[in-house]
Amino acid sequence: MKNIESSLKESRTYKPNPKFASNSNVTKKQLDDLHKNYQNDSEQFWKDLAINEIKWIKQFETCCSGVAPYYKWFEDGELNVTENCLDRFIGRSKNAIIHISETNDKNIITYDELFVLVNNFSWALQNLGLKKGDRVIIYMPTIPESIIAVLSCARLGLIHSVVFAGFSSESLANRINDCEAKAIITVDGFKRNGKLIQAKKTVDDALALGCKSVLKCIIFKHNGNRIAFNHSQDIWWDEILPNKDKIVCPEKMSSEDLLFILYTSGSTGKPKGIIHSTAGYLLNCIITNKWVFDLKEEDIFWCTADIGWITGHSYVIYGPLATGSTILIYDGAPTYPKPDRFWRIIQDNKVTIFYTAPTAIRTLMKLGENLPDNFNLESLRLLGTVGEPINPKAWVWYQTKIGNSACPIVDTWWQTETGANMIAPLPGVTETIPGTCTQALPGIDALIVDEKGNEINKANQGGYLVIRKPWPSMLRGIWGDKKRYQETYWSKFKNKYYVTGDTARKDKYGNIWIMGRADDVVNISGHRLGTMEIESAIVSHDFVAESAVVSYKHEIKGEAIHAFVTLKDGYSEVNKKELAEKLREWVKTKIGSIAKPDKISFSNALPKTRSGKIMRRLLRNIARGEAISSDTSTLENEDILKQLQNIL
Ligand code: WT7
């Protein structure tokens, strides 16, 4: 392959592929009209979409009500999300889920079958006494049963909170306790990279930490490994199902009833439970699947996200199913047994739309730049990325090698909080440049502002990325923490804008380029982590006195973690190399593997300002190998600088 990087300029634009454009869900004219309609009458714009796209039990009268930061959408309407995702597609013998396991077993579930499975499991949950508004934690890999569990909760109005099955028992316990979950749904175990992950054991460990609210733990027998069984609480999935198929009437949900809680990291040590409501969330999921992913009923859509993240909620489960398309799920590692696994799955299953993270693209590119050449990837017609800015080299490789130089790429910017894509190109319409997520979708009023909140219109001048007008799928708050909700997202500009926490700039064409976070949040392999969260995990180790965590640029992960650590008195003689390894394992047990620090430095003290604040800029300079830009004259001991630079 010729060296594409050398011929690459940031300004190289990619025009929409005419063949794609001739059949895309949204044409240039329609996109212009959508933007115009929104500008003319934003209420009418959302009203029309909500009426057309959602199957209502009772249609709404009021469109948007309330004032910042508390908005309500379609408040007096009633619906059930599962009627939208299942009931309206039954009787068509259409595939809903194609599941590929790590060991390459294939399981296809039609909409009719999924409807039956969800109804039966809903019946079982109902039978256990769970009621609308109760919280249920789902701690499972991305398999059909976890989707069944999610949808069954939605059918009954139980508020689900999916916890990524890579999180540790402590992270799990914190989430269970924060939302006071009544039940947990899990599996005995599952395989990743051929290794057994004992999910039920992690649940047991979490419960042993004290989770008083939990009454039942439902276990789906997935792997067949032995588990400890607590008869007063544990029950097998199979044993609670009805003997004969049951139909469960979908709970009438008000538009504003909560659909789910999803925990995500913020700039304090404690993850926040982002809450999403029913109708508004569903609406943005549906329209973005249609507009950005050009989703049609005949598509096979593979979004590689785990259902433990928002992408798994909106682009594996709710959006694609409410659009009546077929989703493919794979619950194994991208490199198992070899780094060609993704390409093989696309070929064998004729995937038409593929959505993944830049970090996965970079990993697979590094492990086998030419491996895709061995596969027939012609079924693909659209590619997507999410989670972090994609570097031009990976973008171009993705386009040429995976997309056969023909597939449009949609670089989608959004967040757990926004519920669905906010800034993204429309394939077939928008000209793209590698590295920009282009422009806000119709209905999304995104702008870049300066410290005072004034809009920046000058090209390439960076500022805060904010959203001015409310949109249906916006978060409704943080579970149990109004104050934090207001402070994190609204107070900076006195409720005038929703503050995304990202910084960005606009180029001369009006394309938005995400520059990074403005807060203490880092993005490791597309996963969001708070530096404070990692610091508190490290500090909870017996030997550790203090810690500061910063990120640096990483070729594969995008960002990686450098932890600066000072030890308590009496521990200065311990073997630092061994301790660094121990601390990595410690962080793994406290949070999960994704939070393990890549680099650790030990020093006698952390550099501080006169007022006692840790000099984070200095630490960032060191972690990033940059020239030191801070005044170091206040450091008590110049030797500390040397220690900080000694990286393990
Ligand atoms: C943060 C949100 C939304 C699903 C995945 C992550 C970063 C997300 C992009 C993109 C540049 C992006 C932002 C954002 N981000 N997509 N296309 N280009 N950066 O969800 O964990 O809620 O993280 O991910 O920094 O704020 P999340």
Side-chain angles (χ1 to χ4, degrees):
M1 194 169 121
K2 64 177 192 298
N3 185 352
I4 37 189
E5 188 76 336
S6 61
S7 63
L8 195 74
K9 290 204 188 80
E10 182 192 276
S11 58
R12 189 155 114 179
T13 55
Y14 287 72
K15 294 210 175 350
N17 169 342
K19 194 170 147 230
F20 190 100
S22 67
N23 190 32
S24 62
N25 283 347
V26 183
T27 62
K28 170 99 179 61
K29 161 96 178 56
Q30 284 166 328
L31 177 63
D32 292 344
D33 287 347
L34 284 166
H35 279 300
K36 249 185 253 150
N37 293 346
Y38 180 66
Q39 266 142 23
N40 291 343
D41 188 344
S42 57
E43 286 253 324
Q44 193 60 42
F45 169 91
W46 287 118
K47 226 175 174 168
D48 289 346
L49 285 169
I51 292 170
N52 291 331
E53 300 291 351
I54 290 177
K55 182 179 186 314
W56 295 94
I57 296 174
K58 176 177 158 254
Q59 205 169 301
F60 62 94
E61 292 294 326
T62 319
C63 183
C64 179
S65 55
V67 287
Y70 297 102
Y71 291 104
K72 290 181 172 163
W73 285 89
F74 321 119
E75 195 188 350
D76 50 353
E78 284 173 359
L79 72 161
N80 187 286
V81 167
T82 66
E83 263 202 323
N84 282 267
C85 293
L86 298 172
D87 304 41
R88 61 171 163 174
F89 302 113
I90 53 177
R92 300 190 192 182
S93 349
K94 252 221 82 178
N95 293 342
I97 304 176
I98 301 174
H99 172 226
I100 312 289
S101 75
E102 199 175 66
T103 47
N104 212 23
D105 293 322
K106 185 166 168 174
N107 179 15
I108 299 180
I109 300 174
T110 65
Y111 273 91
D112 290 3
E113 288 162 344
L114 188 60
F115 176 80
V116 172
L117 291 163
V118 168
N119 273 278
N120 286 345
F121 193 61
S122 299
W123 180 88
L125 292 178
Q126 207 170 35
N127 234 13
L128 292 177
L130 293 165
K131 295 211 164 54
K132 179 174 172 181
D134 287 346
R135 274 80 61 203
V136 175
I137 293 270
I138 299 174
Y139 187 72
M140 301 171 92
T142 302
I143 54 176
E145 286 70 23
S146 50
I147 296 176
I148 293 166
V150 163
L151 293 172
S152 299
C153 287
R155 195 155 186 94
L156 299 175
L158 309 176
I159 302 170
H160 62 73
S161 183
V162 184
V163 176
F164 172 56
F167 276 121
S168 69
S169 52
E170 228 172 277
S171 296
L172 177 60
N174 290 338
R175 286 157 173 78
I176 295 169
N177 287 331
D178 187 75
C179 70
E180 295 171 291
K182 277 205 176 153
I184 301 178
I185 310 174
T186 190
V187 291
D188 46 0
F190 62 94
K191 294 261 173 68
R192 251 279 128 149
N193 268 314
K195 277 204 322 238
L196 174 65
I197 314 281
Q198 303 199 47
K200 170 60 165 55
K201 170 143 196 328
T202 308
V203 171
D204 290 342
D205 293 347
L207 297 181
L209 293 169
C211 299
K212 287 203 195 88
S213 59
V214 176
L215 304 174
K216 290 285 170 215
C217 174
I218 303 160
I219 311 131
F220 176 70
K221 192 177 268 181
H222 175 62
N223 184 72
N225 51 295
R226 279 179 74 94
I227 57 164
F229 204 89
N230 169 358
H231 286 275
S232 64
Q233 175 182 288
D234 295 347
I235 29 178
W236 289 107
W237 172 298
D238 276 355
E239 289 175 6
I240 54 172
L241 292 176
N243 296 327
K244 270 208 327 236
D245 289 344
K246 297 274 183 203
I247 299 276
V248 173
C249 191
E251 184 76 33
K252 264 191 211 159
M253 302 288 283
S254 126
S255 296
E256 280 298 317
D257 280 338
L258 294 190
L259 179 62
F260 66 86
I261 306 174
L262 188 59
Y263 286 86
T264 187
S265 298
S267 37
T268 74
K270 189 173 172 262
K272 36 193 184 186
I274 302 299
I275 52 178
H276 278 289
S277 64
T278 302
Y281 171 76
L282 180 67
L283 180 61
N284 281 91
C285 282
I286 295 176
I287 59 170
T288 53
N289 272 277
K290 288 188 176 173
W291 295 352
V292 181
F293 292 100
D294 196 53
L295 208 55
K296 302 185 166 77
E297 283 198 25
E298 56 278 15
D299 274 310
I300 298 182
F301 184 17
W302 183 16
C303 162
T304 65
D306 190 281
I307 57 148
W309 312 115
I310 190 72
T311 313
H313 286 56
S314 308
Y315 299 97
V316 176
I317 308 180
Y318 289 119
L321 293 179
T323 314
S325 70
T326 305
I327 54 169
L328 184 137
I329 54 173
Y330 165 62
D331 68 309
T335 48
Y336 189 87
K338 283 192 298 191
D340 63 3
R341 189 66 196 269
F342 274 11
W343 322 134
R344 192 176 292 281
I345 293 176
I346 292 172
Q347 168 187 274
D348 293 353
N349 297 283
K350 301 205 165 35
V351 171
T352 60
I353 301 171
F354 182 64
Y355 188 28
T356 196
T359 183
I361 298 168
R362 287 192 296 264
T363 307
L364 298 174
M365 181 167 102
K366 186 159 187 199
L367 295 175
E369 200 165 317
N370 295 315
L371 279 179
D373 296 346
N374 305 332
F375 297 90
N376 179 352
L377 305 179
E378 274 171 17
S379 58
L380 285 174
R381 62 183 197 90
L382 176 63
L383 303 173
T385 72
V386 61
E388 54 177 314
I390 178 163
N391 50 310
K393 189 176 173 185
W395 197 101
V396 173
W397 181 81
Y398 197 34
Q399 225 257 347
T400 35
K401 286 287 183 177
I402 311 305
N404 194 23
S405 302
C407 295
I409 296 184
V410 289
D411 176 349
T412 60
W413 179 90
W414 59 297
Q415 310 176 296
T416 305
E417 293 86 343
T418 69
N421 295 170
M422 303 290 281
I423 306 173
L426 289 206
V429 180
T430 316
E431 287 190 5
T432 55
I433 305 172
T436 168
C437 46
T438 71
Q439 306 192 6
L441 295 172
I444 304 305
D445 186 18
L447 58 157
I448 297 166
V449 299
D450 64 19
E451 198 58 51
K452 290 199 180 119
N454 297 320
E455 182 165 8
I456 298 175
N457 280 313
K458 218 171 132 210
N460 294 325
Q461 196 175 323
Y464 298 97
L465 178 64
V466 298
I467 297 158
R468 186 162 32 198
K469 281 200 186 141
W471 67 101
S473 66
M474 65 198 297
L475 77 164
R476 296 301 191 266
I478 294 175
W479 180 263
D481 202 340
K482 272 195 166 173
K483 197 162 155 253
R484 191 173 179 195
Y485 169 64
Q486 291 164 3
E487 279 170 4
T488 311
Y489 302 108
W490 298 92
S491 70
K492 186 168 176 69
F493 298 111
K494 303 203 168 56
N495 288 357
K496 210 168 148 194
Y497 310 118
Y498 163 79
V499 181
T500 66
D502 279 3
T503 56
R505 65 178 169 89
K506 264 188 191 171
D507 66 15
K508 59 179 179 198
Y509 309 107
N511 286 321
I512 296 172
W513 297 73
I514 303 296
M515 293 161 61
R517 298 284 307 191
D519 52 12
D520 292 322
V521 165
V522 291
N523 189 326
I524 313 296
S525 300
H527 298 316
R528 196 206 297 196
L529 289 163
T531 49
M532 290 252 299
E533 212 179 332
I534 308 169
E535 285 163 9
S536 27
I538 296 174
V539 171
S540 69
H541 189 280
D542 266 355
F543 294 10
V544 175
E546 226 183 349
S547 172
V549 163
V550 298
S551 72
Y552 62 94
K553 212 167 153 31
H554 188 278
E555 196 196 343
I556 300 289
K557 300 179 176 189
E559 279 184 281
I561 299 162
H562 190 149
F564 294 89
V565 178
T566 66
L567 298 176
K568 286 183 189 156
D569 281 351
Y571 293 101
S572 58
E573 296 307 315
V574 296
N575 180 321
K576 300 292 184 318
K577 242 197 151 113
E578 278 173 22
L579 182 58
E581 227 9 81
K582 279 202 184 118
L583 284 181
R584 288 193 177 96
E585 283 309 302
W586 179 254
V587 173
K588 181 178 164 187
T589 55
K590 289 271 151 186
I591 304 176
S593 270
I594 49 171
K596 274 173 147 181
D598 296 79
K599 294 183 179 172
I600 299 182
S601 305
F602 293 99
S603 57
N604 296 343
L606 291 179
K608 300 220 173 124
T609 60
R610 272 174 220 271
S611 60
K613 268 195 164 174
I614 295 175
M615 296 166 75
R616 284 177 185 276
R617 186 140 56 107
L618 170 66
L619 296 178
R620 265 183 229 124
N621 288 153
I622 294 171
R624 296 171 188 183
E626 302 161 347
I628 289 171
S629 56
S630 327
D631 175 11
T632 53
S633 60
T634 51
L635 288 183
E636 281 168 42
N637 180 353
E638 280 281 331
D639 186 48
I640 287 178
L641 265 186
K642 273 210 203 89
Q643 295 176 12
L644 295 170
Q645 282 158 331
N646 183 13
I647 298 163
L648 295 173

